[in-house]
Amino acid sequence: MKSTQIEYLRPARAEDVQDLMALRTEAETWLGTKGTDQWSHAETGAKAITKWRASIDEGRAWVVVDGGGGVLATVSRGPVDRDFWVDEDRPESALYLYKLIVARRAAGRQLGARLVDWASTLAAMEGRDWVRIDTWRTNGGLHAYYERLGFEHVRTESPSHRRSGWLAQRSVAALSLPEVPLRAGMRRVEAAIALPSPGRRH
């Protein structure tokens, strides 16, 4: 697969929040057409901006943008979620991904798979073994998508106060599209630069 699109990865900024919320709203609508209620809960939506601002302030949120700076996709990393992962899982051995969203207009560029590959490369650079996710328990289509990317279902947790809990992980060595990696850069930089490594977080 070869990509002729101009796209690169950069840390999210405070001014990206509205674009991130637009991505989320679009995803909510699209997921509704697929028969899932993921992200449709009012309380969940009300917390989204605050959580994204915190992720941006802490350097944990990233965006994929096109040549004009338009936001095409986003992903965040975060601390281990103790509602799901326990000491026996060796939490420090993994990088935890959250809020992976791709704009519908970018469908076909395989940005989701490439973002996971980028996270895998970053996790390997940090000496970790796994990339881990927890997703909406009832979204079977999303579970199948991640399994196609090489994730293995670990177990499903169902705490009463949470709607996610389908836990999966993938080895950092299992890249889906190593021939078309996402590159990191800034709009003014034409050439790709090396992958960044935000501070190690557990």
mmCIF file of all heavy atoms in Angstrom, residues 34-82:
data_model
loop_
_atom_site.group_PDB
_atom_site.id
_atom_site.type_symbol
_atom_site.label_atom_id
_atom_site.label_comp_id
_atom_site.label_asym_id
_atom_site.label_seq_id
_atom_site.Cartn_x
_atom_site.Cartn_y
_atom_site.Cartn_z
ATOM 1 N N LYS A 34 -24.535 2.071 13.072
ATOM 2 C CA LYS A 34 -24.040 0.699 13.149
ATOM 3 C C LYS A 34 -24.701 -0.082 14.280
ATOM 4 O O LYS A 34 -24.339 -1.230 14.545
ATOM 5 C CB LYS A 34 -22.515 0.696 13.350
ATOM 6 C CG LYS A 34 -21.746 1.373 12.232
ATOM 7 C CD LYS A 34 -21.936 0.659 10.910
ATOM 8 C CE LYS A 34 -21.171 1.333 9.790
ATOM 9 N NZ LYS A 34 -21.370 0.652 8.483
ATOM 10 N N GLY A 35 -25.651 0.551 14.966
ATOM 11 C CA GLY A 35 -26.402 -0.147 15.996
ATOM 12 C C GLY A 35 -25.746 -0.202 17.353
ATOM 13 O O GLY A 35 -26.117 -1.031 18.191
ATOM 14 N N THR A 36 -24.785 0.681 17.617
ATOM 15 C CA THR A 36 -24.170 0.713 18.938
ATOM 16 C C THR A 36 -24.424 2.065 19.591
ATOM 17 O O THR A 36 -24.537 3.082 18.903
ATOM 18 C CB THR A 36 -22.644 0.461 18.858
ATOM 19 O OG1 THR A 36 -22.082 0.583 20.171
ATOM 20 C CG2 THR A 36 -21.959 1.449 17.935
ATOM 21 N N ASP A 37 -24.523 2.062 20.913
ATOM 22 C CA ASP A 37 -24.755 3.314 21.638
ATOM 23 C C ASP A 37 -23.464 3.889 22.200
ATOM 24 O O ASP A 37 -23.472 4.744 23.073
ATOM 25 C CB ASP A 37 -25.754 3.083 22.776
ATOM 26 C CG ASP A 37 -25.230 2.115 23.845
ATOM 27 O OD1 ASP A 37 -24.197 1.447 23.592
ATOM 28 O OD2 ASP A 37 -25.855 2.013 24.906
ATOM 29 N N GLN A 38 -22.308 3.454 21.669
ATOM 30 C CA GLN A 38 -21.036 3.939 22.191
ATOM 31 C C GLN A 38 -20.958 5.457 22.116
ATOM 32 O O GLN A 38 -21.266 6.054 21.092
ATOM 33 C CB GLN A 38 -19.876 3.328 21.409
ATOM 34 C CG GLN A 38 -18.521 3.761 21.939
ATOM 35 C CD GLN A 38 -17.387 2.919 21.401
ATOM 36 O OE1 GLN A 38 -17.584 1.784 20.988
ATOM 37 N NE2 GLN A 38 -16.184 3.457 21.410
ATOM 38 N N TRP A 39 -20.517 6.063 23.219
ATOM 39 C CA TRP A 39 -20.321 7.503 23.354
ATOM 40 C C TRP A 39 -21.612 8.299 23.266
ATOM 41 O O TRP A 39 -21.577 9.523 23.177
ATOM 42 C CB TRP A 39 -19.341 8.034 22.307
ATOM 43 C CG TRP A 39 -17.934 7.588 22.529
ATOM 44 C CD1 TRP A 39 -17.420 7.044 23.655
ATOM 45 C CD2 TRP A 39 -16.873 7.647 21.589
ATOM 46 N NE1 TRP A 39 -16.099 6.764 23.468
ATOM 47 C CE2 TRP A 39 -15.738 7.119 22.224
ATOM 48 C CE3 TRP A 39 -16.783 8.104 20.273
ATOM 49 C CZ2 TRP A 39 -14.511 7.033 21.573
ATOM 50 C CZ3 TRP A 39 -15.562 8.007 19.640
ATOM 51 C CH2 TRP A 39 -14.447 7.482 20.288
ATOM 52 N N SER A 40 -22.752 7.653 23.317
ATOM 53 C CA SER A 40 -24.009 8.396 23.204
ATOM 54 C C SER A 40 -24.565 8.790 24.566
ATOM 55 O O SER A 40 -25.545 9.529 24.647
ATOM 56 C CB SER A 40 -25.052 7.552 22.462
ATOM 57 O OG SER A 40 -25.357 6.370 23.183
ATOM 58 N N HIS A 41 -23.964 8.318 25.653
ATOM 59 C CA HIS A 41 -24.462 8.606 26.986
ATOM 60 C C HIS A 41 -24.180 10.069 27.326
ATOM 61 O O HIS A 41 -23.054 10.553 27.194
ATOM 62 C CB HIS A 41 -23.783 7.686 28.007
ATOM 63 C CG HIS A 41 -24.388 7.742 29.362
ATOM 64 N ND1 HIS A 41 -23.844 8.499 30.373
ATOM 65 C CD2 HIS A 41 -25.487 7.159 29.882
ATOM 66 C CE1 HIS A 41 -24.582 8.357 31.475
ATOM 67 N NE2 HIS A 41 -25.573 7.555 31.196
ATOM 68 N N ALA A 42 -25.190 10.790 27.773
ATOM 69 C CA ALA A 42 -25.061 12.239 27.982
ATOM 70 C C ALA A 42 -23.944 12.589 28.951
ATOM 71 O O ALA A 42 -23.183 13.526 28.731
ATOM 72 C CB ALA A 42 -26.386 12.809 28.484
ATOM 73 N N GLU A 43 -23.824 11.845 30.031
ATOM 74 C CA GLU A 43 -22.800 12.156 31.022
ATOM 75 C C GLU A 43 -21.407 11.977 30.430
ATOM 76 O O GLU A 43 -20.509 12.771 30.671
ATOM 77 C CB GLU A 43 -22.969 11.255 32.248
ATOM 78 C CG GLU A 43 -21.971 11.570 33.350
ATOM 79 C CD GLU A 43 -22.159 10.687 34.569
ATOM 80 O OE1 GLU A 43 -22.957 9.739 34.497
ATOM 81 O OE2 GLU A 43 -21.507 10.957 35.581
ATOM 82 N N THR A 44 -21.249 10.930 29.637
ATOM 83 C CA THR A 44 -19.969 10.698 28.999
ATOM 84 C C THR A 44 -19.605 11.870 28.099
ATOM 85 O O THR A 44 -18.498 12.384 28.123
ATOM 86 C CB THR A 44 -20.008 9.394 28.173
ATOM 87 O OG1 THR A 44 -20.369 8.322 29.046
ATOM 88 C CG2 THR A 44 -18.665 9.105 27.558
ATOM 89 N N GLY A 45 -20.549 12.329 27.283
ATOM 90 C CA GLY A 45 -20.283 13.438 26.381
ATOM 91 C C GLY A 45 -19.938 14.714 27.112
ATOM 92 O O GLY A 45 -19.066 15.476 26.681
ATOM 93 N N ALA A 46 -20.598 14.973 28.226
ATOM 94 C CA ALA A 46 -20.369 16.202 28.984
ATOM 95 C C ALA A 46 -18.962 16.267 29.556
ATOM 96 O O ALA A 46 -18.423 17.348 29.785
ATOM 97 C CB ALA A 46 -21.394 16.307 30.102
ATOM 98 N N LYS A 47 -18.356 15.129 29.790
ATOM 99 C CA LYS A 47 -17.012 15.098 30.372
ATOM 100 C C LYS A 47 -15.908 15.161 29.321
ATOM 101 O O LYS A 47 -14.733 15.332 29.659
ATOM 102 C CB LYS A 47 -16.827 13.803 31.178
ATOM 103 C CG LYS A 47 -17.717 13.695 32.401
ATOM 104 C CD LYS A 47 -17.469 12.372 33.100
ATOM 105 C CE LYS A 47 -18.314 12.235 34.357
ATOM 106 N NZ LYS A 47 -18.105 10.928 35.009
ATOM 107 N N ALA A 48 -16.286 15.036 28.054
ATOM 108 C CA ALA A 48 -15.275 14.842 27.019
ATOM 109 C C ALA A 48 -14.311 16.013 26.890
ATOM 110 O O ALA A 48 -13.094 15.817 26.775
ATOM 111 C CB ALA A 48 -15.951 14.573 25.676
ATOM 112 N N ILE A 49 -14.829 17.244 26.878
ATOM 113 C CA ILE A 49 -13.963 18.406 26.687
ATOM 114 C C ILE A 49 -12.961 18.528 27.827
ATOM 115 O O ILE A 49 -11.762 18.738 27.612
ATOM 116 C CB ILE A 49 -14.797 19.697 26.547
ATOM 117 C CG1 ILE A 49 -15.522 19.702 25.204
ATOM 118 C CG2 ILE A 49 -13.893 20.924 26.663
ATOM 119 C CD1 ILE A 49 -16.386 20.933 24.986
ATOM 120 N N THR A 50 -13.438 18.355 29.059
ATOM 121 C CA THR A 50 -12.545 18.448 30.214
ATOM 122 C C THR A 50 -11.443 17.406 30.136
ATOM 123 O O THR A 50 -10.266 17.693 30.387
ATOM 124 C CB THR A 50 -13.342 18.270 31.517
ATOM 125 O OG1 THR A 50 -14.309 19.320 31.616
ATOM 126 C CG2 THR A 50 -12.428 18.303 32.727
ATOM 127 N N LYS A 51 -11.811 16.181 29.772
ATOM 128 C CA LYS A 51 -10.814 15.116 29.691
ATOM 129 C C LYS A 51 -9.811 15.382 28.583
ATOM 130 O O LYS A 51 -8.608 15.155 28.749
ATOM 131 C CB LYS A 51 -11.506 13.766 29.475
ATOM 132 C CG LYS A 51 -12.240 13.263 30.707
ATOM 133 C CD LYS A 51 -12.822 11.885 30.462
ATOM 134 C CE LYS A 51 -13.478 11.325 31.719
ATOM 135 N NZ LYS A 51 -14.044 9.981 31.484
ATOM 136 N N TRP A 52 -10.301 15.892 27.431
ATOM 137 C CA TRP A 52 -9.388 16.172 26.342
ATOM 138 C C TRP A 52 -8.426 17.303 26.698
ATOM 139 O O TRP A 52 -7.248 17.256 26.378
ATOM 140 C CB TRP A 52 -10.135 16.492 25.052
ATOM 141 C CG TRP A 52 -9.971 15.413 24.014
ATOM 142 C CD1 TRP A 52 -8.823 14.750 23.696
ATOM 143 C CD2 TRP A 52 -10.983 14.857 23.186
ATOM 144 N NE1 TRP A 52 -9.065 13.831 22.711
ATOM 145 C CE2 TRP A 52 -10.369 13.865 22.372
ATOM 146 C CE3 TRP A 52 -12.349 15.107 23.038
ATOM 147 C CZ2 TRP A 52 -11.070 13.139 21.430
ATOM 148 C CZ3 TRP A 52 -13.047 14.373 22.096
ATOM 149 C CH2 TRP A 52 -12.415 13.392 21.309
ATOM 150 N N ARG A 53 -8.958 18.338 27.353
ATOM 151 C CA ARG A 53 -8.074 19.433 27.753
ATOM 152 C C ARG A 53 -6.982 18.931 28.707
ATOM 153 O O ARG A 53 -5.823 19.346 28.607
ATOM 154 C CB ARG A 53 -8.883 20.561 28.409
ATOM 155 C CG ARG A 53 -9.737 21.347 27.415
ATOM 156 C CD ARG A 53 -10.267 22.620 28.037
ATOM 157 N NE ARG A 53 -11.166 23.314 27.138
ATOM 158 C CZ ARG A 53 -10.797 24.067 26.117
ATOM 159 N NH1 ARG A 53 -9.501 24.213 25.845
ATOM 160 N NH2 ARG A 53 -11.687 24.674 25.355
ATOM 161 N N ALA A 54 -7.352 18.058 29.606
ATOM 162 C CA ALA A 54 -6.360 17.505 30.531
ATOM 163 C C ALA A 54 -5.312 16.684 29.775
ATOM 164 O O ALA A 54 -4.109 16.792 30.037
ATOM 165 C CB ALA A 54 -7.044 16.648 31.586
ATOM 166 N N SER A 55 -5.770 15.875 28.813
ATOM 167 C CA SER A 55 -4.835 15.068 28.032
ATOM 168 C C SER A 55 -3.879 15.946 27.244
ATOM 169 O O SER A 55 -2.681 15.651 27.139
ATOM 170 C CB SER A 55 -5.611 14.156 27.065
ATOM 171 O OG SER A 55 -6.360 13.193 27.765
ATOM 172 N N ILE A 56 -4.407 17.048 26.681
ATOM 173 C CA ILE A 56 -3.558 17.977 25.930
ATOM 174 C C ILE A 56 -2.548 18.641 26.857
ATOM 175 O O ILE A 56 -1.353 18.717 26.552
ATOM 176 C CB ILE A 56 -4.430 19.012 25.205
ATOM 177 C CG1 ILE A 56 -5.214 18.340 24.062
ATOM 178 C CG2 ILE A 56 -3.572 20.160 24.660
ATOM 179 C CD1 ILE A 56 -6.284 19.218 23.449
ATOM 180 N N ASP A 57 -3.018 19.112 28.001
ATOM 181 C CA ASP A 57 -2.131 19.791 28.947
ATOM 182 C C ASP A 57 -1.007 18.866 29.421
ATOM 183 O O ASP A 57 0.114 19.321 29.689
ATOM 184 C CB ASP A 57 -2.922 20.296 30.155
ATOM 185 C CG ASP A 57 -3.827 21.477 29.816
ATOM 186 O OD1 ASP A 57 -3.655 22.074 28.736
ATOM 187 O OD2 ASP A 57 -4.722 21.774 30.634
ATOM 188 N N GLU A 58 -1.302 17.581 29.522
ATOM 189 C CA GLU A 58 -0.327 16.605 30.013
ATOM 190 C C GLU A 58 0.510 15.992 28.892
ATOM 191 O O GLU A 58 1.346 15.128 29.140
ATOM 192 C CB GLU A 58 -1.046 15.509 30.793
ATOM 193 C CG GLU A 58 -1.707 16.021 32.073
ATOM 194 C CD GLU A 58 -2.667 15.017 32.688
ATOM 195 O OE1 GLU A 58 -2.694 13.852 32.213
ATOM 196 O OE2 GLU A 58 -3.399 15.396 33.620
ATOM 197 N N GLY A 59 0.266 16.424 27.646
ATOM 198 C CA GLY A 59 1.042 15.920 26.519
ATOM 199 C C GLY A 59 0.708 14.503 26.118
ATOM 200 O O GLY A 59 1.545 13.789 25.540
ATOM 201 N N ARG A 60 -0.537 14.078 26.372
ATOM 202 C CA ARG A 60 -0.918 12.691 26.094
ATOM 203 C C ARG A 60 -1.813 12.539 24.877
ATOM 204 O O ARG A 60 -2.146 11.419 24.496
ATOM 205 C CB ARG A 60 -1.621 12.085 27.311
ATOM 206 C CG ARG A 60 -0.729 11.996 28.541
ATOM 207 C CD ARG A 60 -1.375 11.207 29.663
ATOM 208 N NE ARG A 60 -2.454 11.937 30.325
ATOM 209 C CZ ARG A 60 -3.739 11.681 30.159
ATOM 210 N NH1 ARG A 60 -4.137 10.737 29.329
ATOM 211 N NH2 ARG A 60 -4.661 12.384 30.809
ATOM 212 N N ALA A 61 -2.257 13.631 24.264
ATOM 213 C CA ALA A 61 -3.169 13.565 23.115
ATOM 214 C C ALA A 61 -2.432 13.950 21.841
ATOM 215 O O ALA A 61 -1.633 14.883 21.825
ATOM 216 C CB ALA A 61 -4.357 14.500 23.333
ATOM 217 N N TRP A 62 -2.737 13.229 20.770
ATOM 218 C CA TRP A 62 -2.084 13.435 19.481
ATOM 219 C C TRP A 62 -3.141 13.553 18.394
ATOM 220 O O TRP A 62 -4.246 13.017 18.516
ATOM 221 C CB TRP A 62 -1.138 12.269 19.184
ATOM 222 C CG TRP A 62 -0.004 12.214 20.155
ATOM 223 C CD1 TRP A 62 -0.036 11.738 21.436
ATOM 224 C CD2 TRP A 62 1.310 12.699 19.948
ATOM 225 N NE1 TRP A 62 1.183 11.892 22.037
ATOM 226 C CE2 TRP A 62 2.030 12.475 21.152
ATOM 227 C CE3 TRP A 62 1.965 13.286 18.867
ATOM 228 C CZ2 TRP A 62 3.361 12.827 21.296
ATOM 229 C CZ3 TRP A 62 3.301 13.634 19.005
ATOM 230 C CH2 TRP A 62 3.982 13.404 20.210
ATOM 231 N N VAL A 63 -2.792 14.246 17.327
ATOM 232 C CA VAL A 63 -3.689 14.349 16.180
ATOM 233 C C VAL A 63 -2.918 14.045 14.910
ATOM 234 O O VAL A 63 -1.717 14.308 14.804
ATOM 235 C CB VAL A 63 -4.347 15.745 16.073
ATOM 236 C CG1 VAL A 63 -5.331 15.966 17.206
ATOM 237 C CG2 VAL A 63 -3.297 16.857 16.033
ATOM 238 N N VAL A 64 -3.627 13.490 13.935
ATOM 239 C CA VAL A 64 -3.119 13.376 12.570
ATOM 240 C C VAL A 64 -3.760 14.497 11.779
ATOM 241 O O VAL A 64 -4.985 14.667 11.821
ATOM 242 C CB VAL A 64 -3.473 12.016 11.943
ATOM 243 C CG1 VAL A 64 -2.982 11.949 10.494
ATOM 244 C CG2 VAL A 64 -2.880 10.874 12.759
ATOM 245 N N VAL A 65 -2.949 15.264 11.084
ATOM 246 C CA VAL A 65 -3.472 16.388 10.302
ATOM 247 C C VAL A 65 -3.038 16.255 8.857
ATOM 248 O O VAL A 65 -2.063 15.567 8.522
ATOM 249 C CB VAL A 65 -2.984 17.745 10.876
ATOM 250 C CG1 VAL A 65 -3.504 17.942 12.295
ATOM 251 C CG2 VAL A 65 -1.475 17.840 10.856
ATOM 252 N N ASP A 66 -3.804 16.927 7.972
ATOM 253 C CA ASP A 66 -3.443 16.941 6.557
ATOM 254 C C ASP A 66 -2.530 18.123 6.269
ATOM 255 O O ASP A 66 -2.139 18.867 7.176
ATOM 256 C CB ASP A 66 -4.700 16.966 5.681
ATOM 257 C CG ASP A 66 -5.585 18.176 5.951
ATOM 258 O OD1 ASP A 66 -5.070 19.212 6.421
ATOM 259 O OD2 ASP A 66 -6.801 18.084 5.678
ATOM 260 N N GLY A 67 -2.172 18.303 5.009
ATOM 261 C CA GLY A 67 -1.236 19.349 4.646
ATOM 262 C C GLY A 67 -1.703 20.743 4.997
ATOM 263 O O GLY A 67 -0.900 21.648 5.201
ATOM 264 N N GLY A 68 -3.029 20.931 5.087
ATOM 265 C CA GLY A 68 -3.571 22.232 5.448
ATOM 266 C C GLY A 68 -3.815 22.403 6.922
ATOM 267 O O GLY A 68 -4.322 23.437 7.362
ATOM 268 N N GLY A 69 -3.466 21.390 7.713
ATOM 269 C CA GLY A 69 -3.645 21.469 9.156
ATOM 270 C C GLY A 69 -4.964 20.936 9.660
ATOM 271 O O GLY A 69 -5.232 20.986 10.860
ATOM 272 N N GLY A 70 -5.820 20.438 8.763
ATOM 273 C CA GLY A 70 -7.104 19.891 9.199
ATOM 274 C C GLY A 70 -6.939 18.585 9.949
ATOM 275 O O GLY A 70 -6.131 17.727 9.567
ATOM 276 N N VAL A 71 -7.685 18.424 11.031
ATOM 277 C CA VAL A 71 -7.563 17.239 11.874
ATOM 278 C C VAL A 71 -8.288 16.054 11.232
ATOM 279 O O VAL A 71 -9.484 16.115 10.950
ATOM 280 C CB VAL A 71 -8.117 17.512 13.281
ATOM 281 C CG1 VAL A 71 -8.099 16.235 14.124
ATOM 282 C CG2 VAL A 71 -7.300 18.603 13.976
ATOM 283 N N LEU A 72 -7.543 14.981 11.004
ATOM 284 C CA LEU A 72 -8.080 13.765 10.385
ATOM 285 C C LEU A 72 -8.341 12.653 11.395
ATOM 286 O O LEU A 72 -9.187 11.787 11.151
ATOM 287 C CB LEU A 72 -7.110 13.237 9.327
ATOM 288 C CG LEU A 72 -6.768 14.150 8.163
ATOM 289 C CD1 LEU A 72 -5.680 13.502 7.309
ATOM 290 C CD2 LEU A 72 -8.012 14.435 7.328
ATOM 291 N N ALA A 73 -7.588 12.649 12.485
ATOM 292 C CA ALA A 73 -7.706 11.552 13.451
ATOM 293 C C ALA A 73 -7.064 11.983 14.756
ATOM 294 O O ALA A 73 -6.313 12.962 14.814
ATOM 295 C CB ALA A 73 -7.029 10.285 12.924
ATOM 296 N N THR A 74 -7.361 11.231 15.798
ATOM 297 C CA THR A 74 -6.762 11.508 17.107
ATOM 298 C C THR A 74 -6.590 10.215 17.881
ATOM 299 O O THR A 74 -7.293 9.219 17.646
ATOM 300 C CB THR A 74 -7.623 12.494 17.917
ATOM 301 O OG1 THR A 74 -6.949 12.822 19.135
ATOM 302 C CG2 THR A 74 -8.984 11.900 18.262
ATOM 303 N N VAL A 75 -5.657 10.232 18.794
ATOM 304 C CA VAL A 75 -5.490 9.156 19.757
ATOM 305 C C VAL A 75 -4.846 9.746 20.999
ATOM 306 O O VAL A 75 -4.123 10.743 20.919
ATOM 307 C CB VAL A 75 -4.623 8.000 19.184
ATOM 308 C CG1 VAL A 75 -3.155 8.397 19.085
ATOM 309 C CG2 VAL A 75 -4.792 6.733 19.998
ATOM 310 N N SER A 76 -5.131 9.160 22.140
ATOM 311 C CA SER A 76 -4.503 9.574 23.402
ATOM 312 C C SER A 76 -3.903 8.357 24.079
ATOM 313 O O SER A 76 -4.348 7.229 23.873
ATOM 314 C CB SER A 76 -5.532 10.215 24.343
ATOM 315 O OG SER A 76 -6.065 11.394 23.799
ATOM 316 N N ARG A 77 -2.877 8.608 24.871
ATOM 317 C CA ARG A 77 -2.370 7.573 25.756
ATOM 318 C C ARG A 77 -2.731 7.984 27.176
ATOM 319 O O ARG A 77 -3.021 9.156 27.431
ATOM 320 C CB ARG A 77 -0.849 7.409 25.618
ATOM 321 C CG ARG A 77 -0.065 8.621 26.087
ATOM 322 C CD ARG A 77 1.432 8.407 25.963
ATOM 323 N NE ARG A 77 1.896 7.308 26.805
ATOM 324 C CZ ARG A 77 3.164 6.894 26.834
ATOM 325 N NH1 ARG A 77 4.073 7.460 26.067
ATOM 326 N NH2 ARG A 77 3.521 5.903 27.632
ATOM 327 N N GLY A 78 -2.751 7.037 28.066
ATOM 328 C CA GLY A 78 -3.129 7.393 29.424
ATOM 329 C C GLY A 78 -2.581 6.421 30.438
ATOM 330 O O GLY A 78 -1.935 5.432 30.097
ATOM 331 N N PRO A 79 -2.855 6.700 31.700
ATOM 332 C CA PRO A 79 -2.410 5.805 32.767
ATOM 333 C C PRO A 79 -3.230 4.517 32.762
ATOM 334 O O PRO A 79 -4.293 4.445 32.141
ATOM 335 C CB PRO A 79 -2.669 6.626 34.034
ATOM 336 C CG PRO A 79 -3.816 7.513 33.657
ATOM 337 C CD PRO A 79 -3.603 7.854 32.216
ATOM 338 N N VAL A 80 -2.711 3.533 33.450
ATOM 339 C CA VAL A 80 -3.449 2.276 33.571
ATOM 340 C C VAL A 80 -4.782 2.526 34.270
ATOM 341 O O VAL A 80 -4.855 3.281 35.244
ATOM 342 C CB VAL A 80 -2.615 1.227 34.329
ATOM 343 C CG1 VAL A 80 -2.211 1.727 35.707
ATOM 344 C CG2 VAL A 80 -3.361 -0.086 34.449
ATOM 345 N N ASP A 81 -5.847 1.925 33.760
ATOM 346 C CA ASP A 81 -7.175 2.063 34.341
ATOM 347 C C ASP A 81 -7.376 0.916 35.334
ATOM 348 O O ASP A 81 -7.545 -0.246 34.950
ATOM 349 C CB ASP A 81 -8.236 1.999 33.242
ATOM 350 C CG ASP A 81 -9.617 2.397 33.734
ATOM 351 O OD1 ASP A 81 -9.931 2.092 34.899
ATOM 352 O OD2 ASP A 81 -10.383 2.989 32.953
ATOM 353 N N ARG A 82 -7.372 1.243 36.607
ATOM 354 C CA ARG A 82 -7.428 0.217 37.642
ATOM 355 C C ARG A 82 -8.820 -0.385 37.814
ATOM 356 O O ARG A 82 -8.989 -1.320 38.608
ATOM 357 C CB ARG A 82 -6.925 0.798 38.968
ATOM 358 C CG ARG A 82 -5.399 0.944 38.996
ATOM 359 C CD ARG A 82 -4.736 -0.419 38.902
ATOM 360 N NE ARG A 82 -3.293 -0.356 39.115
ATOM 361 C CZ ARG A 82 -2.550 -1.413 39.361
ATOM 362 N NH1 ARG A 82 -3.096 -2.612 39.424
ATOM 363 N NH2 ARG A 82 -1.242 -1.289 39.517
#
